[in-house]
Amino acid sequence: MTDQARTDAERAERKAAQRQAWNDAHPTYYADYQERNREHIRKTNRERERQRAQRERDEKERRRRGIERAKEWAQEHPEERQQARERYKQKHPEAHKQAQREYYYRNREAIAERRRARDATDPQKANEARRRAAARARAAGRVSDWSPSPSQRESYRQRENEARRFSRRRARAGLPDRRLHRVLAAERRHNAAAADAFFTRKRSRDEIARIREQDAPTPPELVHAMQRQSEDLRAVREVLAMADAYFTDHELELRARVAEISRTRFRAGLLPLDVYTEPRRRALEVASTGYLRPSAVSPTSSIAVFQWLTSDLAERAPDILL
């Protein structure tokens, strides 16, 4: 440390000690000063805050005018703007990438919304663009860093096997296959936008009159069919409640009987009964005995009956062996 620096340090320490001694001798000076000059202090603070806010507004306006001038220049000189961007990108590659990342994170929602709107306009074009990008990545040798773990692969395999088994059981029960199919997100957004546009569009007087002319009383046969279907659904709920109670009380007897019949059929060279659904089917027969329309609660009458019959399949652990 030089002599001048040592002298400055000593002078600073001496002033700090003097200031501390004066504060200790006058502990209420600052509080008394603020109490005597409260209005003046508030007025000074307000004026200082007004000046600071004005400086911020002036700076924001200056930036806005600069941005507007840059935009106007870019529109008038597109080639020079592109050349300037390329020169900056080559001279400052890391700064350019960082600026792109920062812009993306600042406007992530707006960018995603623009992409969804663009994909919804032409979902087929968006799907083709994704396929081409995936093909280019494979040709360039770029692969995703993520890959499923062995436990995930096993879970996917079990899920696919269960879906196939469920489809076969539906076919054996006489129920149709699932008609649902997967739709990509862009196509879903396109369909949703088209539906919103159709249902929110204001109808003209001619269209409203034509729609009202189409209104007609429901045919009696449709009303009768709806009433019959409602009665069937009500009966199904009642019969399933009785069948569930009967199955709970006689589960062991039903399973033992089914196992005995399955052994006999197996020895005779026939296929055994389904140890999961057959006990519940027999409980359903007992509960539906005497019902006027047996077809309403048959194993193939409704999805509710089918789900009740197959509710034990999730356990996958038969307790009776052939």
Side-chain angles (χ1 to χ4, degrees), residues 21 23 29 62 65 125 130 173 189 196 220 225 253 299 319:
N23 291 337
Y29 174 79
R62 186 188 65 79
R65 289 197 299 267
K125 183 178 179 181
R130 292 191 187 92
R189 288 191 290 268
D196 292 340
E253 301 174 10
D319 54 352

Side-chain angles (χ1 to χ4, degrees), residues 1-15:
M1 180 181 295
T2 63
D3 294 341
Q4 182 64 32
R6 187 178 299 105
T7 302
D8 293 341
E10 292 176 354
R11 186 181 299 110
E13 293 179 358
R14 188 165 55 253
K15 288 184 178 181

Side-chain angles (χ1 to χ4, degrees), residues 109-295:
E109 295 297 331
I111 294 173
E113 186 63 29
R114 290 198 298 268
R115 183 177 65 251
R116 285 194 291 267
R118 185 173 60 251
D119 294 347
T121 304
D122 192 351
Q124 187 65 26
K125 183 178 179 181
N127 296 338
E128 290 296 332
R130 292 191 187 92
R131 294 190 186 96
R132 289 195 300 270
R136 289 195 301 268
R138 286 193 298 268
R142 297 194 302 269
V143 296
S144 175
D145 295 336
W146 180 85
S147 61
S149 63
S151 61
Q152 289 174 328
R153 293 194 189 95
E154 182 64 23
S155 175
Y156 300 155
R157 193 178 301 111
Q158 291 179 359
R159 196 178 306 168
E160 293 173 356
N161 294 340
E162 181 62 26
R164 285 193 289 268
R165 284 195 293 267
F166 190 71
S167 178
R168 289 196 294 269
R169 292 191 199 100
R170 290 176 66 92
R172 286 198 300 268
L175 296 174
D177 290 335
R178 289 170 59 90
R179 297 182 180 179
L180 299 178
H181 61 280
R182 291 187 176 182
V183 178
L184 296 179
E187 188 174 353
R188 284 200 305 271
R189 288 191 290 268
H190 175 73
N191 296 339
D196 292 340
F198 176 80
F199 288 107
T200 58
R201 181 173 60 86
K202 187 176 181 180
R203 280 2 185 218
S204 63
R205 292 184 178 181
D206 296 338
E207 290 177 331
I208 295 175
R210 187 167 59 253
I211 293 172
R212 288 177 176 175
E213 289 176 359
Q214 296 174 355
D215 292 342
T218 304
E221 57 272 14
L222 294 182
V223 175
H224 179 69
M226 185 190 66
Q227 293 175 348
R228 183 181 181 87
Q229 185 180 10
S230 299
E231 293 176 0
D232 290 344
L233 293 176
R234 191 181 305 109
V236 165
R237 288 196 296 268
E238 295 176 357
V239 172
L240 286 182
M242 293 187 294
D244 192 69
Y246 182 85
F247 179 78
T248 302
D249 295 338
H250 303 82
E251 181 178 1
L252 295 179
E253 301 174 10
L254 292 171
R255 290 188 181 277
R257 179 59 179 166
V258 170
E260 182 181 356
I261 296 175
S262 296
R263 294 190 192 96
T264 304
R265 290 173 60 88
F266 186 75
R267 296 189 189 99
L270 302 175
L271 291 176
L273 300 177
D274 189 345
V275 296
Y276 294 103
T277 61
E278 187 62 23
R280 286 184 171 269
R281 191 186 66 79
R282 291 174 177 266
L284 183 66
E285 289 180 355
V286 173
S288 60
T289 300
Y291 187 64
L292 296 179
R293 293 198 301 271
S295 60

Side-chain angles (χ1 to χ4, degrees), residues 166 170 175 280 299 302-312:
F166 190 71
R170 290 176 66 92
L175 296 174
R280 286 184 171 269
S302 67
I303 189 63
V305 177
F306 176 76
Q307 290 176 347
W308 185 81
L309 289 174
T310 58
S311 59
D312 287 345

